[in-house]
Amino acid sequence: MDCIRLEYDVDGENFASAGNASESVKRTLKQMGVSPASVRRVAIAMYEGEINMVIHAHGGKAVAEVYPDRIEIRLQDTGPGIADIDLAMKAGYSTATENIRSLGFGAGMGLPNMKKYSDEMKIESTVGVGTTVFLRIDF
Amino acid sequence: MTIRDIVKLLDAEILCGGENLDTEIHTACGSDMMSDVLAYVKDQSVLLTGLLNPQVVRTAEMMDMLCIVFVRGKRPEQNVIDLARDKGIVLLTTEKRLFLACGILYTNGLGG
C-alpha cells in the first residue's frame, strides 16, 4: 500500500530543537485530515521518543510512514542502549540526570507514555550499540 | 472564562498572542515537570509553570494547549516567545506563585 514517508535527523546537541520532527509529523497529519484525537496521540508518543533521543542518546533518525489507517514510526539512535527494558518501562523509573530534570523531563514517564498512546510499541536495544523504538498508532 | 479574564485575575502581562485573548478556556493545569504534563494532562488548555525553556512551548503545542502562564515573575527568552507566537500560543507572565495563581483561577471557575 502507498504511504507517505517522512524522514528526520534528530539533533542530539540541540535541546531547543527537540520536537521539530514530531511537530512536522503533527502538522502533516492535521493537513491530511486525521482526527484531532489521533493526531494528539501521535504527537505525544513521538515527541516523548524524540526527547528521549536527545536527552539520552545524542540524537538519531526518525522515520514516519503514514498509511490511510495508521502511522508507523521508527526512532533509531546509536546511544548507550537500554540494559533492562522492563525496568525502563516502569512508570517513574529514570536514568535522567539532575540537569535533565531541571529542564522539566526525566520523570520516568516517557516510555510508559509512548506505550499508553500507541497501539503497538516495540523496543530493540543493545547496550553500547543503540536503541530502535517502533510505534504504530491506528487512526 | 476567557484568556482576557486570566490576564485580569492574575494581573498578568501579555508576552505574545494578544490577538487571541477572547478564546474561551475551561480547564488548566500547573506543573514544572513537562514529563508529567505529557503523561497526565487530558484536555486542559492552559499551562501554568515556572519552567522557561522552549520545550514548555513544544509540550503545550503537542497537547493542543492555547495559553501558557509563567509564574513567580518569570520571563522566557525571546526565542521562546517567538516560538509561541509562531504556534499561536498566548504567553503570559504573572508575579504570583504557582499555588496562588492556580488557586485564583480555580476559585473563579476554571476546572482542573
Side-chain angles (χ1 to χ4, degrees):
Chain A
M1 199 192 295
D2 281 352
C3 73
I4 297 171
R5 190 181 156 91
L6 306 160
E7 254 190 81
Y8 307 91
D9 286 317
V10 177
D11 182 356
E13 304 305 316
N14 188 353
F15 179 71
S17 72
N20 275 348
S22 309
E23 249 174 47
S24 165
V25 167
K26 185 180 190 224
R27 204 166 41 239
T28 305
L29 296 183
K30 244 182 173 170
Q31 283 164 358
M32 288 169 68
V34 175
S35 78
S38 296
V39 172
R40 193 190 295 186
R41 289 171 67 216
V42 173
I44 297 171
M46 185 169 172
Y47 178 55
E48 289 277 19
E50 202 179 339
I51 288 282
N52 274 348
M53 290 168 84
V54 173
I55 64 181
H56 293 294
H58 324 294
K61 228 176 174 45
V63 179
E65 290 180 346
V66 188
Y67 296 88
D69 63 339
R70 69 184 189 282
I71 185 168
E72 295 183 2
I73 300 165
R74 269 177 200 78
L75 304 167
Q76 198 169 4
D77 69 60
T78 51
I82 304 169
D84 186 336
I85 291 175
D86 288 339
L87 185 59
M89 286 300 299
K90 264 177 84 169
Y93 177 81
S94 177
T95 56
T97 60
E98 205 43 53
N99 181 38
I100 291 166
R101 284 173 212 259
S102 72
L103 296 168
F105 294 91
M109 296 309 297
L111 290 175
N113 221 7
M114 287 159 76
K115 191 175 172 68
K116 176 174 143 192
Y117 289 107
S118 60
D119 292 285
E120 185 186 357
M121 174 173 166
K122 283 187 284 196
I123 304 175
E124 285 169 17
S125 189
T126 308
V127 173
V129 178
T131 301
T132 300
V133 178
F134 171 83
L135 297 167
R136 192 195 85 233
I137 293 143
D138 300 333
F139 300 149
Chain B
M1 69 175 69
T2 62
I3 297 177
R4 193 182 300 280
D5 295 326
I6 295 177
V7 173
K8 271 192 219 138
L9 287 166
L10 300 182
D11 195 15
E13 183 190 331
I14 302 155
L15 299 175
C16 73
E19 64 281 8
N20 296 324
L21 295 186
D22 293 316
T23 308
E24 196 71 36
I25 299 285
H26 301 285
T27 52
C29 72
S31 180
D32 284 354
M33 200 41 139
M34 294 305 107
S35 296
D36 285 345
V37 173
L38 290 163
Y40 298 112
V41 166
K42 276 199 88 174
D43 276 317
Q44 285 83 347
S45 29
V46 179
L47 169 64
L48 294 99
T49 187
L51 199 68
L52 289 177
N53 68 60
Q55 297 306 333
V56 175
V57 175
R58 304 255 188 205
T59 298
E61 149 84 0
M62 298 303 165
M63 308 298 286
D64 299 315
M65 288 175 156
L66 307 167
C67 174
I68 300 169
V69 182
F70 296 106
V71 295
R72 306 190 284 274
K74 294 199 174 191
R75 204 172 269 276
E77 293 197 18
Q78 192 57 42
N79 65 329
V80 176
I81 298 174
D82 292 343
L83 187 64
R85 188 177 284 124
D86 190 42
K87 310 287 172 211
I89 295 172
V90 181
L91 292 190
L92 307 176
T93 179
T94 175
E95 290 294 330
K96 295 184 173 36
R97 295 181 183 192
L98 182 60
F99 181 78
L100 188 60
C102 291
I104 290 170
L105 297 182
Y106 187 79
T107 49
N108 279 278
L110 203 60

